[in-house]
Amino acid sequence: MQRYIVMRAGQSIIALIILSMIIFALGRFTGDPIILLLPQEASQETEDAIRAHYGLDQPWPVQYWKFISNAARFEFGVSIKSKRPVMDLIGPKVMNSLRLGLAGMAITLIIGIPLGVLAAVKRDTFFDGGAKLIAILGQSLPQFWVGIMLIQFFTVQLDLLPAAGTGGFTHYIMPAFTLGWWVAAAVMRLLRSSMLDALDGEYIKMARIKGLPEYKIVWKHTFKNALIPVLTFAGTYLATFITGAILVETVFAWPGLGRLVYDSIIWRDFPVLQTLVMMIAAVVITVNLAVDIAYAYIDPRIRYN
Amino acid sequence: MATTSTALAGRPAFRQRGRQAAEALKRAPLIPLAIIVIVVFTATFAPLLTPHSTTQPSLADRLTPPVWQEGGVWEHPLGTDALGRDLATRLMYGGRVSMLVAVFTLAIGGGIGTAIGLVSGYFGGRVDAICMRSADSTLAFPIILFAILLVVAVGPNLANVVVAIALVLWARYARVIRGEVLALKERDFIARARVAGCSHLRILLFHLFPNTVNTLLVLLTLQVGWVIIVEASLSFLGAGIPPPTPAWGSMVSDGREYVDTAWWVSAIPGLAIMLTVVAFNLFGDWLRDTLDPKLRQVS
């Protein structure tokens, strides 16, 4: 087990290093940063001086090392648009995104799990058909468009829900639903098929012969086992959530990190964007590491593979 | 006598196969197929199908509603946007962008992914471990962020969007094709090919690859929808094909300011995305059930 954890953690660190190199290399593509800092009529001497001041005259490996050590101290430079340190922009938005993300995940669980179980238990009935329709739409509807259509209906036509920003409970309804639905469709499909597999198991037949009540068979014996394949995809779902959050926060003008990604695209604000990508990547990689370790803990076959 | 009997014996088998194909075709999803044909046709022949320009503003016609609504005119059957540009025209040209991106990303990402999957499954060992670890990391990463980063750093254009999406797409092909190869390489015909002295390259290209083509076709079809959505998301966020070239995602974005006065500007391109993606997904499902039912778990 220890060996597995060390190996897996090592892989995560390598992934982070590769990613930081890619980000650093892309940063060089955005053009010579000195051009942004200098007035047009600056002389060659001033340019050289400023270049030396920012360490831009150093060879690339040295610059990369500086980039990394700054990143480790959460110093990511200054935003091109607002001229403020990047961390000052990001800090206040973290909680907003976290709140919306949790609300979205709650929606995913509330929709995805009961429907997935229902679709498997009542196979080939009206419920199964309905669940299938939701799954197809979930895969095919662009999230940003769903958000706009919800605004169209619930804000413009019915005047029921606020279209933008944060505030009370009502502000969460549309963004959280738009965010959660996509993953809910995926969870539902996977849960349905793994429930069907599990329901075929010998131990389920045994439980039936024992005369256990149906709800116990479904929830205690089948559901628990069917949940494992769904959990394996936790990392993929998190990635989908983050992608979704960028789109949803943009549509609903939610003051979170996703919206900040959008703003930094519009302003071509590379320092902000690289910081966001780096931070989100670190979170994603850590969560995946945690999921894998937890999974190896539950299922010994993984450790020894 | 002998010859006629073999001829007769051969015929029913042949006929049966023909009948099977006809049966499968009969069950082909006609509406999705029709939608795909329409999208591909209008995207290909857009310049011949419409008299309007995609970029030329015509402020006198701005925000004309679709023809079935009051104030709509037949000249602009689906209405116009805030600059008075014909929506139907922009939709057709936007379809071009979607189809082009889909074709190129699937060719590049699918090609690279297939190659990696073949090599990874065939050689196994450390090569396999590294390839699959990279594929898993790619799949668990919110790739749109990476695409955005690339596009912001290097500048938005068709090539960069294609590269960004392909960089993510390869992973799924690599995984599925590798799984396929793992099963295939244990089969007798591969062992015999090796005994016959075939090189690794020859076995990969002429013995393993042809046996993965069904899987590949299904996967390619099922991924068209995903690529269309990612491309639309990128252009919605302003990190896709830059305006004024019409793309479905940026068209939806253009309409955001007018949700309360002109619903069609956002709604219609979104509907186009949805219908196209549903059509490709249903067609892909059918193809999978027809060619390779055991693939059910894959997508």
Side-chain angles (χ1 to χ4, degrees):
Chain A
M1 190 68 189
Q2 265 169 350
R3 215 186 82 115
Y4 175 81
I5 294 178
V6 170
M7 216 180 68
R8 189 61 192 75
Q11 285 171 346
S12 299
I13 292 169
I14 293 174
L16 258 181
I17 292 175
I18 293 176
L19 196 86
S20 69
M21 284 176 171
I22 296 173
I23 291 175
F24 175 77
L26 280 176
R28 304 296 107 169
F29 268 118
T30 52
D32 195 346
I34 213 82
I35 294 165
L36 293 168
L37 298 165
L38 278 181
Q40 289 242 289
E41 64 283 357
S43 68
Q44 188 63 42
E45 286 85 67
T46 359
E47 193 188 318
D48 289 344
I50 291 185
R51 214 173 264 281
H53 177 75
Y54 284 99
L56 291 169
D57 55 346
Q58 306 280 335
W60 276 29
V62 178
Q63 288 192 38
Y64 172 71
W65 178 249
K66 199 164 173 233
F67 169 76
I68 284 294
S69 46
N70 281 342
R73 274 177 277 128
F74 290 101
E75 281 168 25
F76 289 96
V78 175
S79 155
I80 292 174
K81 179 199 165 200
S82 66
K83 313 280 182 224
R84 286 164 55 202
V86 170
M87 284 315 284
D88 288 6
L89 294 175
I90 290 177
K93 313 229 152 135
V94 173
M95 280 317 285
N96 283 336
S97 280
L98 220 52
R99 273 195 287 263
L100 180 59
L102 287 176
M105 283 180 201
I107 298 269
T108 295
L109 298 180
I110 292 169
I111 299 179
I113 288 183
L115 272 183
V117 172
L118 202 64
V121 174
K122 310 236 179 243
R123 193 184 180 174
D124 295 329
T125 61
F126 168 76
F127 294 105
D128 196 13
K132 194 173 179 197
L133 185 72
I134 291 180
I136 290 178
L137 289 180
Q139 280 182 311
S140 314
L141 288 172
Q143 246 168 336
F144 53 90
W145 185 69
V146 171
I148 294 173
M149 290 303 107
L150 287 177
I151 292 176
Q152 171 87 49
F153 192 69
F154 288 102
T155 309
V156 176
Q157 305 279 341
L158 300 179
D159 200 15
L160 273 179
L161 295 170
T166 53
F169 172 72
T170 49
H171 284 86
Y172 281 91
I173 297 175
M174 287 197 292
F177 176 77
T178 317
L179 184 58
W181 186 33
W182 248 43
V183 183
V187 168
M188 194 185 74
R189 266 166 58 100
L190 195 60
L191 189 58
R192 175 183 180 273
S193 68
S194 68
M195 279 288 287
L196 286 177
D197 285 346
L199 279 170
D200 267 346
E202 290 292 326
Y203 63 97
I204 298 297
K205 269 180 217 149
M206 187 64 208
R208 287 228 165 89
I209 293 167
K210 276 199 304 188
L212 282 185
E214 192 64 24
Y215 77 89
K216 251 192 181 164
I217 293 177
V218 169
W219 289 104
K220 201 167 166 206
H221 293 249
T222 318
F223 177 66
K224 268 191 181 168
N225 283 304
L227 211 52
I228 295 177
V230 180
L231 288 179
T232 339
F233 282 87
T236 313
Y237 294 149
L238 181 70
T240 315
F241 260 117
I242 291 169
T243 306
I246 298 170
L247 295 164
V248 169
E249 288 187 8
T250 301
V251 170
F252 291 102
W254 189 270
L257 298 178
R259 177 77 190 188
L260 200 58
V261 168
Y262 175 72
D263 288 340
S264 58
I265 298 171
I266 298 304
W267 290 91
R268 300 282 180 252
D269 201 339
F270 196 80
V272 177
L273 195 58
Q274 72 171 12
T275 313
L276 285 165
V277 175
M278 201 67 205
M279 280 176 50
I280 293 172
V283 170
V284 168
I285 289 173
T286 314
V287 169
N288 277 310
L289 177 65
V291 169
D292 278 2
I293 290 174
Y295 202 61
Y297 191 74
I298 300 169
D299 188 346
R301 278 172 300 181
I302 306 221
R303 274 174 251 170
Y304 299 112
N305 208 332
Chain B
M1 198 60 204
T3 42
T4 45
S5 76
T6 42
L8 280 177
R11 207 174 275 160
F14 177 72
R15 227 188 257 156
Q16 198 186 352
R17 187 173 286 180
R19 211 180 298 136
Q20 273 172 355
E23 275 298 306
L25 268 181
K26 231 181 265 170
R27 273 183 279 115
L30 285 180
I31 296 175
L33 211 55
I35 293 174
I36 294 173
V37 169
I38 290 173
V39 172
V40 173
F41 180 81
T42 52
T44 316
F45 297 106
L48 303 174
L49 294 172
T50 168
H52 301 290
S53 148
T54 52
T55 51
Q56 191 64 46
S58 159
L59 291 181
D61 301 321
R62 68 192 300 269
L63 299 179
T64 309
V67 68
W68 61 88
Q69 260 200 337
E70 210 182 309
V73 287
W74 272 109
E75 203 194 336
H76 303 295
L78 298 177
T80 62
D81 67 5
L83 295 174
R85 299 173 295 192
D86 183 52
L87 268 188
T89 303
R90 287 177 64 78
L91 217 52
M92 288 189 241
Y93 279 90
R96 265 185 164 189
V97 168
S98 293
M99 292 300 121
L100 276 179
V101 170
V103 167
F104 282 120
T105 48
L106 291 169
I108 298 172
I112 294 173
T114 306
I116 291 178
L118 283 170
V119 168
S120 181
Y122 180 67
F123 290 108
R126 191 155 288 180
V127 181
D128 186 36
I130 293 175
C131 290
M132 286 308 109
R133 207 56 241 175
S134 320
D136 287 346
S137 315
T138 311
L139 287 175
F141 190 75
I143 52 95
I144 205 164
L145 268 181
F146 187 75
I148 290 170
L149 198 70
L150 184 75
V151 167
V152 169
V154 191
N157 59 46
L158 190 73
N160 289 337
V161 171
V162 166
V163 168
I165 300 179
L167 273 178
V168 180
L169 200 67
W170 70 272
R172 199 156 297 164
Y173 290 85
R175 266 232 157 277
V176 175
I177 298 294
R178 168 192 177 260
E180 197 87 329
V181 170
L182 281 185
L184 282 171
K185 77 171 180 185
E186 302 301 329
R187 300 258 300 269
D188 280 346
F189 70 97
I190 298 298
R192 281 178 201 160
R194 214 172 286 152
V195 171
C198 292
S199 65
H200 289 314
L201 190 67
R202 194 179 168 85
I203 291 178
L204 280 173
L205 286 182
F206 296 109
H207 296 271
L208 286 171
F209 175 68
N211 282 295
T212 61
V213 167
N214 275 0
T215 313
L216 197 58
L217 270 181
V218 171
L219 209 54
L220 284 172
T221 321
L222 284 173
Q223 300 263 270
V224 176
W226 183 83
V227 172
I228 291 175
I229 291 208
V230 174
E231 184 273 321
S233 303
L234 281 175
S235 65
F236 175 79
L237 290 170
I241 318 295
T245 306
W248 288 348
S250 54
M251 289 171 70
V252 173
S253 173
D254 288 344
R256 277 173 66 200
E257 287 169 55
Y258 307 97
V259 273
D260 48 346
T261 48
W263 60 269
W264 57 90
V265 186
S266 268
I268 288 177
L271 269 176
I273 300 174
M274 183 188 88
L275 288 176
T276 314
V277 174
V278 171
F280 273 105
N281 284 345
L282 291 178
F283 183 66
D285 281 344
W286 168 78
L287 202 64
R288 176 185 56 195
D289 293 345
T290 311
L291 290 180
D292 201 350
K294 73 172 188 298
L295 265 176
R296 267 195 173 285
Q297 313 93 309
V298 168
S299 88

